[in-house]
Amino acid sequence: MSEPARRLRLVGAAPYREEAEALLERPGDASLVERGVTRAMVLRCPDGCGETLVVNLDPRSGKAWRLDRRQNSTTVYPSVWLDGGCKSHFIVWRDTILWCDRFEDGNVEPAYDPALEDAVLEAVPFDRDVGPAEVGDALDALAWDVAKALRRLALRGAAQEGVGRARGRYRRR
Ligand SMILES: [Zn+2]
């Protein structure tokens, strides 16, 4: 298989899924289904298999992902995967596609400012586990930036990651 896409390209929006899907030209292209509110993102699978992924962004329709378009780039939280077919699994962080299993060796993370870590640590309580989305909301920061800050805080012993169902969530030490 050839190299997968490593950038997400947001190409537009349309009111219905079929129209949004028609805007996609190549692997890694994405478009939004917007009808009153943003309903979903459709994404041409970045591994090149030709499948289209539909990412629900509307909490009224069940489990929903978060779309963040600040600073003219696109971030989706949590990670996105394709259940059937190629089983692609990846993160979309500031227009960068980071692969979670296959192709992981070629990942290049987007720019990250370690200055965020002080604020993140302040926002993490001692007595319960919190996740990147919750802390991101409190600080108005991207969840993936916060997730990286939390991992780095845990590495230096300032925070502790939960186990089992609390994995990916942290409390202060
Ligand atoms: Zn695929």
Side-chain angles (χ1 to χ4, degrees):
M1 191 178 282
S2 59
E3 262 295 284
R6 297 191 184 275
R7 300 283 295 173
L8 180 121
R9 189 174 71 128
L10 194 60
V11 294
Y16 292 97
R17 177 182 161 176
E18 294 71 23
E19 295 160 359
E21 207 170 328
L23 300 171
L24 309 179
E25 292 172 0
R26 56 183 196 225
D29 279 3
S31 61
L32 301 177
V33 180
E34 287 182 343
R35 211 164 52 248
V37 298
T38 304
R39 312 269 175 143
M41 170 183 274
V42 292
L43 174 61
R44 181 65 47 81
C45 185
D47 77 352
C49 72
E51 294 262 358
T52 301
L53 292 85
V54 181
V55 179
N56 179 41
L57 300 173
D58 184 357
R60 297 172 307 174
S61 312
K63 176 176 165 55
W65 277 252
R66 295 155 166 261
L67 172 71
D68 194 312
R69 298 179 66 192
R70 76 183 72 196
Q71 292 159 5
N72 230 359
S73 72
T74 301
T75 294
V76 180
Y77 185 88
S79 63
V80 176
W81 62 91
L82 192 68
D83 278 328
C86 67
K87 297 192 164 55
S88 271
H89 184 198
F90 53 88
I91 283 165
V92 179
W93 180 9
R94 294 186 202 277
D95 289 339
T96 301
I97 294 171
L98 296 177
W99 289 88
C100 295
D101 34 46
R102 295 177 300 159
F103 317 123
E104 200 173 15
D105 288 350
N107 282 350
V108 179
E109 290 192 3
Y112 164 83
D113 181 2
L116 178 65
E117 287 160 30
D118 288 343
V120 168
L121 188 58
E122 284 299 315
V124 174
F126 287 99
D127 57 349
R128 68 186 175 90
D129 298 315
V130 290
E134 187 178 346
V135 176
D137 283 349
L139 300 177
D140 197 26
L142 286 179
W144 292 123
D145 286 340
V146 173
K148 180 162 183 170
L150 288 167
R151 283 197 306 275
R152 288 167 53 106
L153 287 164
L155 276 175
R156 63 175 214 237
Q160 185 170 8
E161 187 176 5
V163 294
R165 287 162 59 116
R167 264 200 78 188
R169 300 171 63 78
Y170 295 80
R171 65 177 63 194
R172 213 154 147 184
R173 288 186 63 167

